[in-house]
Amino acid sequence: MKYVEKYDISIAPSQPFLKMGIVNPITNVRLEERAYVDTGFSGSLIITKNVYEKLKLSLIEVDEEYYAIHAGHFITKLKPVIVIVEIGEFYHARKKIFVHPYIGKILVGRDILNELYICLNGPKQILELKD
């Protein structure tokens, strides 16, 4: 089984992404979203405030403090929540993810990427997952 996704070329430089299901584990409300690969992010997933509101994730916030540091100076408090993350038939897990108040796109980090067999083929502008 294989999952293939072309890079998003509307961004310069082009960027790989995965189509992910993000599910509220209490209400089972599910959104299908693009999550852009960020190998510099050690966590699981950072979502936008808009996704947080659509999924009504305030019901499952975790009482812990997390912060993101931008460009080594700007510190932002993140809101941790618990969701189910799905990537086709390849991945299904309950994860602690983070809500960022200012970002405009979802980012998937190494906590999830390291659980996948993933190939970023830059010259062909293709991301591949294999089982």
Side-chain angles (χ1 to χ4, degrees):
M1 188 178 343
K2 189 160 81 168
Y3 169 101
V4 177
E5 201 69 65
K6 291 185 179 183
Y7 282 24
D8 184 345
I9 59 171
S10 69
I11 300 170
S14 59
Q15 190 169 5
F17 67 90
L18 295 162
K19 287 184 183 165
M20 288 190 165
I22 305 170
V23 183
N24 180 321
I26 294 174
T27 64
N28 287 321
V29 174
R30 183 182 191 279
L31 289 178
E32 179 91 11
E33 298 286 335
R34 279 187 177 190
Y36 289 87
V37 173
D38 185 349
T39 59
F41 169 45
S42 63
S44 57
L45 194 66
I46 293 180
I47 62 171
T48 64
K49 189 175 178 184
N50 186 38
V51 170
Y52 168 81
E53 290 169 351
K54 283 182 182 177
L55 288 173
K56 296 181 177 28
L57 295 175
S58 61
L59 299 171
I60 46 179
E61 288 180 17
V62 177
D63 189 21
E64 297 173 356
E65 290 190 14
Y66 292 88
Y67 297 88
I69 300 173
H70 302 278
H73 299 93
F74 181 64
I75 298 172
T76 303
K77 188 173 183 177
L78 303 178
K79 192 178 302 189
V81 295
I82 303 296
V83 300
I84 297 169
V85 177
E86 303 170 335
I87 306 169
E89 300 296 319
F90 291 92
Y91 189 81
H92 181 91
R94 187 177 302 259
K95 286 287 189 181
K96 182 188 309 177
I97 68 166
F98 307 92
V99 183
H100 194 298
Y102 308 120
I103 64 166
K105 62 184 178 181
I106 296 170
L107 302 175
V108 58
R110 294 190 313 268
D111 182 51
I112 291 175
L113 296 172
N114 286 341
E115 295 181 36
L116 302 168
Y117 180 65
I118 188 168
C119 175
L120 302 178
N121 187 333
K124 291 185 179 178
Q125 302 282 284
I126 293 173
L127 173 149
E128 290 180 285
L129 289 181
K130 298 178 183 176
D131 58 359

